[in-house]
Amino acid sequence: MFFLIGIDAFLEIQKWHEATALFGECAFIVASRPGHSLADVANALPESLRPKSAATDPFRRYPANGDLLLPGVTVHLLDGVQYAISATAIRDAIRAGRSLGKMADPVVAEYIKKQNLYKP
């Protein structure tokens, strides 16, 4: 089983309830974006799964792509995501009553509208 998530949300994963257990249940596919390093991904892991900083520091210069395989952790990094769109921006636009425009495919936008998703 895979958990598909954007890098912005993944960078907060150590704050999730029982995050360590979640890594034991599935592999992650993280949609990366330019400007994030492999070290950023490793350092976002829950403390009990995180490698020591001496091991991650050299990877600050490497973009977040490829695979991160550690004991109890499998993260596949999906690079090439060039869109400056986040789920947060989509939710904010919907809550403000703005059109999703180029942020989502029209079919997806219609589904969100019909299902009344992301409304306060």
Side-chain angles (χ1 to χ4, degrees):
M1 183 162 42
F2 295 97
F3 192 121
L4 177 60
I5 186 171
I7 196 162
D8 296 339
F10 186 83
L11 294 177
E12 299 292 322
I13 201 157
Q14 74 278 359
K15 297 176 184 176
W16 291 21
H17 178 70
E18 296 192 30
T20 302
L22 185 57
F23 281 92
E25 297 295 324
C26 61
F28 280 76
I29 299 174
V30 178
S32 185
R33 291 190 188 170
H36 294 285
S37 72
L38 194 53
D40 294 335
V41 174
N43 291 330
L45 295 170
E47 190 172 345
S48 64
L49 299 173
R50 191 179 312 148
K52 300 202 181 309
S53 62
T56 61
D57 283 347
F59 295 96
R60 292 203 175 281
R61 293 174 281 147
Y62 294 93
N65 60 35
D67 295 328
L68 178 64
L69 305 172
L70 299 166
V73 175
T74 300
V75 177
H76 305 286
L77 293 150
L78 178 63
D79 61 344
V81 179
Q82 301 298 322
Y83 299 101
I85 301 167
S86 69
T88 301
I90 290 171
R91 287 190 300 271
D92 290 347
I94 291 166
R95 287 185 185 123
R98 295 190 312 265
S99 167
L100 294 183
K102 294 182 179 180
M103 287 191 282
D105 183 278
V107 173
V108 173
E110 184 62 25
Y111 178 83
I112 291 170
K113 183 178 179 180
K114 281 184 179 178
Q115 297 299 319
N116 202 27
L117 300 178
Y118 308 124
K119 295 287 182 177

